[in-house]
């Protein structure tokens, strides 16, 4: 994710939170009108909500993205004020490094 996309995601996070507070039917009607950055972020948030506490790798596999991209998106959402918690206490990756987990607060 480049710096411009990151800044855009941080800047639109409050509006994403407002969008998520709309009725589901309204969200479904408006979703196609949103830009790619917003759509991608909302898909990540929806997946995180449905999976509960999960790893970057698991989110990346579900979305067909790189775990580093998922990490960058989650950090940008957090910086923008989205209530997501990250920690390093669960699961060991195949490389032996701790995998960070994410969950909505």
């Amino acid at each position: 994710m480049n710096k411009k996309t990151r800044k855009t995601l941080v800047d639109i996070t409050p509006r994403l939170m407002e969008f998520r507070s709309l009725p589901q039917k309204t969200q479904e009607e408006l979703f196609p009108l949103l830009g790619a950055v917003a759509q991608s972020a909302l898909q990540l948030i929806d997946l995180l909500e449905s999976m509960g506490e999960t790893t970057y790798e698991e989110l990346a596999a579900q979305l067909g993205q790189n775990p580093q991209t998922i990490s960058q998106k989650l950090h940008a959402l957090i910086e923008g004020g989205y209530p997501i918690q990250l920690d390093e206490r669960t699961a060991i990756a195949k490389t032996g490094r701790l995998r960070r987990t994410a969950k909505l607060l």
Side-chain angles (χ1 to χ4, degrees), residues 5-100:
T5 301
R6 185 181 195 297
K7 182 180 179 342
T8 298
L9 186 51
V10 170
D11 291 345
I12 67 170
T13 297
R15 281 162 253 352
L16 294 176
M17 292 167 43
E18 290 174 23
F19 180 86
R20 297 277 294 159
S21 70
L22 296 172
Q24 183 65 32
K25 183 172 175 24
T26 304
Q27 288 184 43
E28 291 169 5
E29 292 169 353
L30 294 176
F31 185 83
L33 304 175
L34 301 175
V37 173
Q39 287 182 353
S40 177
L42 288 166
Q43 289 169 337
L44 175 58
I45 291 165
D46 287 343
L47 183 60
L48 182 56
E49 185 177 84
S50 71
M51 292 179 77
E53 187 171 335
T54 187
T55 65
Y56 295 169
E57 289 83 0
E58 292 165 334
L59 291 167
Q62 290 290 319
L63 293 172
Q65 297 178 11
N66 185 295
Q68 182 63 31
T69 302
I70 297 299
S71 171
Q72 291 170 349
K73 287 180 180 181
L74 289 171
H75 281 90
L77 287 165
I78 290 168
E79 185 178 331
Y82 210 95
I84 297 170
Q85 178 183 345
L86 305 176
D87 74 44
E88 296 183 20
R89 65 180 172 73
T90 62
I92 303 296
K94 292 178 184 174
T95 61
R97 297 182 325 170
L98 288 175
R99 294 190 297 177
R100 292 189 65 123

